[in-house]
Structures are given as structure tokens and as C-alpha cells.
Amino acid sequence: MASDIRAASFFITSINVCLPESSRRQVEYLELRIGNRTLASRHVSIPSKSLSETFSPGIEVSDDEQCSVSVHCYHRLMGIPKKTIIDLPFVTQDIALSALNANGIRALRMVDGKLQVVVSTSESLNRPEIGKLVPVSDSIIRACPRFRLLVMGKDGVGKSSLISRAFKIRSLRFYEACQRQAGIDTELIFQENDKVVLHNSGGPEAGTNNSVEAFLSRRRNMPDLKDRVHAIWLCVAIPRGNQRLLDDDTEKFIRSRKQLLGDIPLIIVFTKLDLLIEKLDNEALARGEDPELAFLEERMCEELERSCLRPLQDISGEDIPNVAICVREGYECTIDRLLEITAGKVDRNVTNEAAIAAVMAQRACISLKIRDSINVGKKRYWRGLALNSKFLGYTLKECLDVIHMDIVSCWNFEDPNRHLISDQFKTLMLNMVTNLDTRDFPEADEETAFGLSVASAIAGIRGPAVRVVLPIAANATLVGWAYDTYEYSHTALSQTIAYIVDLTAVMQILFLLIPHGHITIPAIKLAITAYSMAGINDVHSPIRDYYYDPHNALTFGSRDQALDMIVGLIKVTSIKSDELTALRARIGDLMKLQREDPKYGWDSDDE
């Protein structure tokens, strides 16, 4: 009878994959293929027994097209990881044979052994209500609105300076808040960076050990992720001379950490590295040696091993994550290292949402910000852009707005006037990608790194004072294409890719320009102008050359070429963490950019 049923047109609205608990397999990801196209791919960070994906408004299947759902499974056999790919093919006639429920949905059920896949379809395309495109960052922030960090250490150990460097919270405000706090339960939240909530403790000293233990016990048992402690920084000053590294109470805390902390990551932060460096420099000078010689770094490592690492290992019995930090200029890499270790431990031991919240909260490491932007983008809206069913039925502006919000949220600038999500700024970014032919813009030196090109452009723009004339108008009428409905086309795809990479580059330049303080209109305009001079051609040219070539197919096979291009172009236009200090020195004083002057708006020249 199946041959008598005419093949109809359907819209796939969801796919659900399920394995029973008795199965040894876990589902890693699924792919939907129609013909030779991979239209959807859903990955999970942690394999599980089930996986689901919803397509809004739906993916069309018609004309007896050959389709398949590929389920990638993972399991271990005698401790050895094994991967299995299960392909379940179907055609529109199979869907037509499925029963129609009261809501007009047909559910095609396919089984392979213990694996069950349900493909739900509708016979009509219903566009969701406007505003249903929800940023990925919204769901992350709902689950974990703030990174919750317990900072332990005696007064004077350098906690205020560390917090100032890592989160750009003014050290005096943190110090004063600690002096006023009622106890370890007090939540320290600061207006200039409300993405982190801090708890302060002088350490597990006599008389306070029970309060620290009770606090951790309470927080560990709280049901919501947002209320639990996500990481602990235990700050310990590097010993001078033959001083002891840890007191008795801190040693006891470290020995009993597994019972007290559970999965909460503990990172030992050795502070006052600058005093050790100064000591070694003075000793070198006294011996008539050049303190800049490389062997001094070896002596520093030897001293840290002797006074910190070996005593710590003797107490802990195993390696505990640790970082020696210096808050002086030129040693930013030590803070970056601490933040990288913290984010990695939180991701592995707590949740990915908490790790993303940690990276959002920090304002010191540009490399982490770039990586976080990419990871959030990969979770949903950057995947499958060539044939993105998530955007069908929406205008291109609506699609770019949700991408814009995700990127800006990851960077977490101090932006009290909300310039970065204003219509004026979005119009600037949209107009930047209106015409991908940017050959009239200056050519960047191929041999010069992006960061150096940007710094040189900024220095050239400024002269003796900041004067910025935008290459594009902020008050221009929004380009017509932004209101076109998103469709599968080279034009829509190329403009979306360009928008993502352009916005990420502008965020990096703002990170370079504003090491402290809040975002201002002059800073945004300078960042856009510098990018137009230093990097826009390196982004727009390969996009234009590839997607405007009629011989290059829009559809893809197993690889997501659009996502690969985005990540590759972001890497080309990345400012490296170890470049920031030198680049800021090259740019010079930019205090004027941190002043919000009413006479310098979006439409005026700034000087």
C-alpha cells in the first residue's frame, strides 16, 4: 500500500533520540541529512541517553527526497572508548504513513536495536511569533547569572589587588566592602561588574574554621547552580626567607578539602611574586649580574619549587592547581593563567554554564573572551548557518540581533549607557557588512599581526588628540536587506559571517582601548575606524571571494564550512593576550575615550 501514497511536502519540526538506561551507549550528537545536504547538527558537551533538537519554523522535505538521521554514539568496551554511527534513512512517504495527531503533527518512529528516533513533522510552516529568537546567553545567565567565587586569605595578602586585576572591580571598593561585611555569607556584588559575586574569608583560622566549613556545606547542598560556590581562590603569600608557607589551620583545611569541598575547584594563589622578583633582581645586581638574563627566571622557578610547591605537595599528597601571580604591569600573563585554570576546572568539575559565567565575569584575559564568544556561538546560532532552519521566517536583522546579544554578553564590558546594544551601534555594524566589497579601504600589511596593525591605525588616527571620523554613518537609514526574510542564499550567509567576525573584532579593539572604566561613544567609533583601516579587508575579501563565486556550492557535507570560516577568520583577526601591554604602550594615553561628553554623539566628530 505504501506505493499508492503520494509523496507530500512536510516540515520537520523536531528530532528526539532516546536510549534505555540498560544500554551501554551514550548519544554524542545527531545529524539530519536531506539529499546530500547536512541541514542540522546537534552536539552535546556531555554524552547522555537522550538528545533532542527543535527546528523553528521547520525544515522542508519534499519530492520523495532521501533523508536520514545519523546518530553518533559513544561507549566503552573494556575501558577502550568506541564510537558508533547509526544511520536511519527515510523518505516523505514514510512520514505520510505516520498517524496524524490532534495538533496536526505526524511522528515518524524509527528503531535500531535499543535506539529509538522520533522525527516530528507538520504539513504547514507556521512562523513563530516575533521575538522568539532567544540568545543562548540568556539561558546561560538564567541558570548562572553570576560567577560565585570564595576568596580566602589573610588581610594584606593581596586579595584586593587580585580582584581588581581579574574583574576590574576597584580595589578600594572591594577592601571597604570586606571591612563592612557581616561574615562569609555576605554577598559582595559591585555595580561596575555585576557578573561576579564574591565571598571573602580571612582563611580557616582558629575560631572561624567552623563558619567556613558550615558555609561550604550550606552552599554545596543548595539546589540551584546560581547559589552554589563555583570556585575557591586560596591566597597565600610567597614566603620570605625561611618563613613557613601555611599555618596549622590552612594545612588542616587543605588536608580535608575533599570532604569539605566535594567538586568545588580549589586553586592555590601564591601572591607577592613581585617581592620575590625584586629580591632576585637585587641579588643579581649585588653579584654584578644582569637582572634581565634568562637564568633569573630559572632561579625564580627554583625558589617557587623550594618555598611553595614542595611544601604544598607534602601537605596535600598530590598536585593542587596553583598559580604564582604578580599584579604589576608586565606580568598580566600570571593573572591570565589563573583565570584559564579556574575556567577549565569549573568546566570539568561544576558545569559548562558556570565556566561560561566565570569567563564572562573576568575582564583581564582577552584570549578567554574570544574563546568564550566562539563556544557560545557554537552552541546554537553559528552552527549550520548555510541552511539554518532556526532563522527561517525571521528577518535578517532579527537573526543578527540575537547573534549580536550573545557576543556582547560574552565580553561583559562596563556599559552603563547600553551603547553596545543600542540601535545606533547595531546600525553601524549592519552598514559595515552592507557591501562586502571593501577594496576602497586601506590594505593591511600581510606580514603584520592584527593587534599591531590596529595599534598603528589608532596611533595614526589620533595624532596629538583623539579625532575620529567614522567611515560609515551611524544615523544612516538602516539598509533594506536587513528587513528581508532570512533565506538560504550566498548573500545572507556571507553577510551573517561578516557580521559575526566584524563584531568580534570590534569587541577586541574595545578591550584593548578600555583597560579600565566604561564604554563610551568615542571609544566605539575609534574601534570601528581602526578596524576599517587595519583588518576589515582580511575578513571581507575571503568571504566575498568564496561565497560570490557561483562555482562554490552553498550546501555542505559532514563539515560545517561556514562555522570553520568564522572560527578561522576570528583567529586571523585576534589580539593575543601577551600583546596587550605592548600595544597599549604603543597607543599611549587614551583617557579622553573614557569620558562620556554629551557634545560628542554618534553623529559628530570626536576630538
Side-chain angles (χ1 to χ4, degrees):
M1 293 296 292
S3 60
D4 297 329
I5 296 177
R6 181 176 57 86
S9 178
F10 295 94
F11 296 91
I12 296 176
T13 56
S14 69
I15 299 176
N16 291 277
V17 179
C18 183
L19 282 165
E21 288 299 324
S22 59
S23 175
R24 290 181 300 173
R25 293 176 177 172
Q26 304 275 351
V27 180
E28 282 194 310
Y29 67 96
L30 66 85
E31 291 179 331
L32 169 64
R33 292 192 180 92
I34 299 176
N36 62 353
R37 301 167 293 164
T38 299
L39 298 189
S41 179
R42 175 77 163 93
H43 295 246
V44 290
S45 56
I46 301 175
S48 64
K49 296 293 183 184
S50 62
L51 180 62
S52 63
E53 177 68 300
T54 300
F55 309 110
S56 178
I59 298 177
E60 185 174 11
V61 185
S62 59
D63 299 328
D64 244 350
E65 287 185 297
Q66 293 290 327
C67 310
S68 70
V69 174
S70 294
V71 182
H72 295 241
C73 297
Y74 165 90
H75 71 283
R76 286 184 174 273
L77 182 62
M78 299 179 66
I80 301 173
K82 300 286 185 181
K83 293 193 177 184
T84 306
I85 301 175
I86 301 171
D87 288 313
L88 299 169
F90 63 95
V91 293
T92 51
Q93 287 186 352
D94 298 324
I95 298 172
L97 283 168
S98 304
L100 185 68
N101 68 17
N103 297 319
I105 301 296
R106 294 184 186 273
L108 172 62
R109 286 177 170 79
M110 298 180 288
V111 177
D112 185 293
K114 295 181 178 181
L115 179 73
Q116 177 176 277
V117 176
V118 178
V119 179
S120 298
T121 66
S122 172
E123 294 183 7
S124 61
L125 178 63
N126 295 316
R127 187 193 188 281
E129 295 179 10
I130 298 296
K132 289 298 184 181
L133 282 176
V134 180
V136 173
S137 54
D138 277 11
S139 61
I140 294 170
I141 291 170
R142 278 197 302 272
C144 191
R146 294 184 176 95
F147 173 55
R148 189 175 294 273
L149 176 67
L150 170 58
V151 186
M152 300 175 64
K154 298 178 184 297
D155 290 345
V157 78
K159 291 182 290 184
S160 297
S161 299
L162 169 58
I163 295 303
S164 176
R165 281 287 186 182
F167 302 107
K168 299 299 181 284
I169 293 170
R170 293 155 184 82
S171 57
L172 182 59
R173 291 190 184 181
F174 176 74
Y175 173 77
E176 291 175 343
C178 291
Q179 297 303 304
R180 294 193 304 268
Q181 74 177 39
I184 191 173
D185 284 290
T186 302
E187 294 185 336
L188 305 179
I189 302 172
F190 300 87
Q191 185 176 0
E192 60 259 48
N193 186 355
D194 64 357
K195 288 294 184 287
V196 60
V197 52
L198 300 166
H199 293 271
N200 173 59
S201 168
E205 301 174 354
T208 64
N209 186 45
N210 289 335
S211 66
V212 173
E213 182 176 345
F215 167 77
L216 291 172
S217 177
R218 286 193 302 274
R219 289 285 172 178
R220 280 179 59 192
N221 292 322
M222 289 185 177
D224 294 332
L225 173 64
K226 64 183 180 65
D227 296 320
R228 299 198 291 269
V229 174
H230 304 138
I232 300 171
W233 287 352
L234 175 55
C235 299
V236 179
I238 296 171
R240 304 181 69 179
N242 293 318
Q243 287 180 341
R244 185 178 171 186
L245 176 66
L246 303 171
D247 60 31
D248 291 339
D249 293 304
T250 306
E251 287 188 7
K252 180 181 176 182
F253 176 81
I254 290 175
R255 288 194 178 98
S256 59
R257 66 190 182 281
K258 291 183 180 179
Q259 295 77 24
L260 293 175
L261 306 184
D263 292 330
I264 304 172
L266 171 67
I267 297 95
I268 308 296
V269 184
F270 297 118
T271 63
K272 310 286 187 180
L273 182 61
D274 53 324
L275 296 180
L276 175 59
I277 293 170
E278 183 179 345
K279 168 180 172 288
L280 294 175
D281 283 351
N282 291 335
E283 289 175 353
L285 289 172
R287 291 192 297 269
E289 299 171 347
D290 183 354
E292 299 299 322
L293 290 178
F295 68 79
L296 284 183
E297 185 173 345
E298 294 181 14
R299 289 183 182 172
M300 181 183 71
C301 294
E302 291 170 359
E303 182 63 23
L304 287 173
E305 178 73 23
R306 182 193 68 79
S307 63
C308 298
L309 300 183
R310 279 204 297 268
L312 177 62
Q313 191 162 11
D314 289 342
I315 295 164
S316 67
E318 59 185 44
D319 289 335
I320 295 180
N322 62 84
V323 183
I325 66 158
C326 177
V327 296
R328 286 192 339 200
E329 187 175 299
Y331 293 90
E332 290 82 0
C333 61
T334 62
I335 306 296
D336 290 354
R337 179 63 179 154
L338 170 61
L339 293 168
E340 288 169 354
I341 289 175
T342 302
K345 291 293 181 182
V346 172
D347 191 25
R348 286 189 290 274
N349 295 1
V350 187
T351 67
N352 182 247
E353 289 82 3
I356 292 174
V359 178
M360 284 183 179
Q362 68 87 19
R363 288 178 173 168
C365 183
I366 192 170
S367 298
L368 276 178
K369 290 292 189 186
I370 296 169
R371 190 177 75 192
D372 204 35
S373 293
I374 294 171
N375 288 340
V376 170
K378 283 181 175 181
K379 282 182 176 292
R380 187 165 179 83
Y381 292 116
W382 296 14
R383 285 194 179 278
L385 279 173
L387 297 166
N388 201 334
S389 63
K390 303 177 186 71
F391 289 156
L392 288 179
Y394 290 91
T395 67
L396 193 51
K397 182 180 183 301
E398 290 169 332
C399 304
L400 294 178
D401 276 351
V402 75
I403 289 172
H404 184 105
M405 185 59 71
D406 274 341
I407 294 174
V408 170
S409 295
C410 289
W411 287 84
N412 181 35
F413 286 105
E414 186 179 352
D415 187 19
N417 296 308
R418 300 169 68 85
H419 291 315
L420 293 178
I421 57 173
S422 67
D423 289 340
Q424 293 91 336
F425 179 54
K426 290 179 181 178
T427 300
L428 282 171
M429 297 306 305
L430 285 166
N431 283 321
M432 191 181 293
V433 301
T434 298
N435 182 4
L436 287 179
D437 191 351
T438 52
R439 284 170 285 196
D440 291 338
F441 286 84
E443 288 285 346
D445 187 347
E446 293 183 1
E447 300 300 320
T448 305
F450 175 69
L452 186 57
S453 296
V454 167
S456 299
I458 292 170
I461 295 166
R462 291 181 61 230
V466 177
R467 181 176 181 82
V468 182
V469 181
L470 280 170
I472 46 182
N475 64 342
T477 302
L478 191 62
V479 287
W481 59 263
Y483 292 107
D484 292 340
T485 301
Y486 189 95
E487 60 181 0
Y488 301 142
S489 70
H490 289 95
T491 301
L493 178 59
S494 58
Q495 288 169 331
T496 304
I497 293 173
Y499 191 97
I500 292 171
V501 182
D502 289 351
L503 180 57
T504 304
V506 171
M507 293 295 101
Q508 292 182 68
I509 299 171
L510 285 171
F511 194 95
L512 171 67
L513 290 173
I514 310 291
H516 302 282
H518 62 268
I519 293 294
T520 62
I521 293 174
I524 292 173
K525 292 163 72 174
L526 180 57
I528 290 174
T529 306
Y531 175 59
S532 298
M533 296 179 65
I536 198 168
N537 265 328
D538 291 335
V539 172
H540 287 197
S541 292
I543 298 173
R544 182 186 63 244
D545 293 346
Y546 186 86
Y547 287 109
Y548 283 31
D549 185 342
H551 296 97
N552 288 326
L554 182 62
T555 56
F556 305 125
S558 58
R559 289 195 63 83
D560 189 336
Q561 295 181 11
L563 179 59
D564 289 347
M565 176 171 280
I566 290 170
V567 174
L569 290 173
I570 288 176
K571 288 180 179 179
V572 169
T573 52
S574 286
I575 297 174
K576 307 298 186 292
S577 290
D578 56 8
E579 299 174 334
L580 281 175
T581 301
L583 294 177
R584 285 171 178 157
R586 186 182 182 92
I587 292 169
D589 182 25
L590 290 172
M591 288 301 294
K592 285 188 177 183
L593 291 178
Q594 298 177 24
R595 300 172 191 162
E596 197 73 81
D597 193 330
K599 70 180 180 180
Y600 296 132
W602 290 104
D603 306 323
S604 60
D605 295 344
D606 305 317
E607 55 179 299

